[in-house]
């Protein structure tokens, strides 16, 4: 739920230009996923998008501009994810639903590959890594607020060490995303009840 | 508990040759972690180990031989890990202890970086990736046996979908390892009680 691959932006109705832009970003994601952020040249991205450099540069003047656009997509996706968590119903159910949506959306090999590349950049403290780290910081603070509110209302245990809990939750999100990439034939839906059990064990919600 | 960085081999008392070999492997791990398996040349490994190519080639004739030796270290480490899980006491306590040992051992940035590189290789189905995938297969089958035995003895819930449970457990292992790399100042020990809660939620052990 953090170093996230694409979440579709729900505010749709794109123009032809938007669609071309989207097309370039999808091609770029595929290239970054396969060759890394450094290994994927603008030439490679053009080839993947089946566009001439001239056509592509009309949408993005540089590789950095493409990376920034992907980061922005991630930010929008992460916000949508967090908004879904703010909905009605017990926190554990909402968290399970959001996590399953996230994992479903990240099922394709390219998203998983991109996530590994983002991790690698984050571990190396590169500019790309820092940009994604910043987005993660936003997600983390929204997440903390949701947990604090649930503690205040007595919905989950009041004595939780929230930093430890969030490290585990984010770790589960990242790890499952990777795992599911490594097991492409595994039926993701089998995970849901166990994810719920894990959250119940971790957060100790009060019975409804 | 899977795509693992180094676990120290407990059967010690190394010779001078063994120590030189270890020194090369440590240098190689650092290079692979920083530059990837493809990006790290033998020249780079020599520089990191502060050895001449002639001296290094006496221990390892090729980069593939180094990678194979690292894979073998991982296999030995994974077996030690699995042996620890077969000890006495409740399964959830043993699993928590083994997981914490694993995470402590993987705390240094190089192990974490190496793990990301191994993931990346596994996702790309390279020869290196397949070798580590094979090791993971061994760990996975030992793990399954431990869970089956605990189910048979009534120690954990009998109706668990073991594939789903193992995917989550391995996902947590990988994910926490990554997370802890991204949060180097976080006190790992704060994780332990929550890891235990997660396993209790997941496996539903019977009260002792």
């Amino acid at each position: 739920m953090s170093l996230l691959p694409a979440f579709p932006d729900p505010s749709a109705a794109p123009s032809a230009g938007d669609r071309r832009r989207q097309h370039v970003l999808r091609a770029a994601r595929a290239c970054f996923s396969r060759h890394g952020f450094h290994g994927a040249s603008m030439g490679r991205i053009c080839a993947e998008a089946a566009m001439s450099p001239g056509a592509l540069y009309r949408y993005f003047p540089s590789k950095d501009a493409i990376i920034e656009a992907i980061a922005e997509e991630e930010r929008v996706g992460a916000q949508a994810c967090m908004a879904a968590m703010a909905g009605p119903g017990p926190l554990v159910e909402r968290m399970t639903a959001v996590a399953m949506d996230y994992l479903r959306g990240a099922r394709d090999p390219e998203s998983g590959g991109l996530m590994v590349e983002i991790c690698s950049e984050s571990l190396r403290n590169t500019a790309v890594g820092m940009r994604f780290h910043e987005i993660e910081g936003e997600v983390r603070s929204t997440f903390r607020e949701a947990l604090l509110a649930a503690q205040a209302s007595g919905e989950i245990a009041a004595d939780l060490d929230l930093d430890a809990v969030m490290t585990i939750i984010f770790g589960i999100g990242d790890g499952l995303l990777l795992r599911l990439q490594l097991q492409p034939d595994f039926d993701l839906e089998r995970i849901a009840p166990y994810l719920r059990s894990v959250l119940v064990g971790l957060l100790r919600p009060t019975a409804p």
Side-chain angles (χ1 to χ4, degrees), chain A residues 143-204:
Chain A
F143 217 91
R144 172 182 289 278
E145 278 162 36
L147 290 174
L148 280 170
Q151 279 187 316
S153 71
E155 194 186 341
I156 61 172
D159 61 350
L160 297 173
D161 173 348
L162 291 190
D163 285 319
V165 164
M166 289 207 302
T167 296
I168 290 194
I169 292 176
F170 281 66
I172 294 175
D174 293 346
L176 275 181
L177 190 136
L178 278 181
R179 277 285 126 196
L180 292 166
Q181 296 293 328
L182 294 170
Q183 301 169 221
D185 300 328
F186 184 80
D187 174 13
L188 167 61
E189 302 306 319
R190 288 162 66 186
I191 292 290
Y194 296 98
L195 206 51
R196 193 186 165 284
S197 306
V198 160
L199 291 172
V200 167
L202 188 60
L203 301 175
R204 290 177 279 128

Side-chain angles (χ1 to χ4, degrees), chain A residues 1-2 7 76-102 138-151 155-156 162 165-166 169-170 199 203:
Chain A
M1 306 169 225
S2 44
F7 240 90
V76 169
Q79 277 180 341
C81 200
M82 291 300 107
M85 230 183 65
L91 182 68
V92 164
E93 309 305 334
R94 281 178 281 143
M95 279 176 67
T96 305
V98 166
M100 288 301 296
D101 272 349
Y102 164 68
E138 285 179 36
V139 174
R140 220 177 150 91
S141 72
T142 315
F143 217 91
R144 172 182 289 278
E145 278 162 36
L147 290 174
L148 280 170
Q151 279 187 316
E155 194 186 341
I156 61 172
L162 291 190
V165 164
M166 289 207 302
I169 292 176
F170 281 66
L199 291 172
L203 301 175

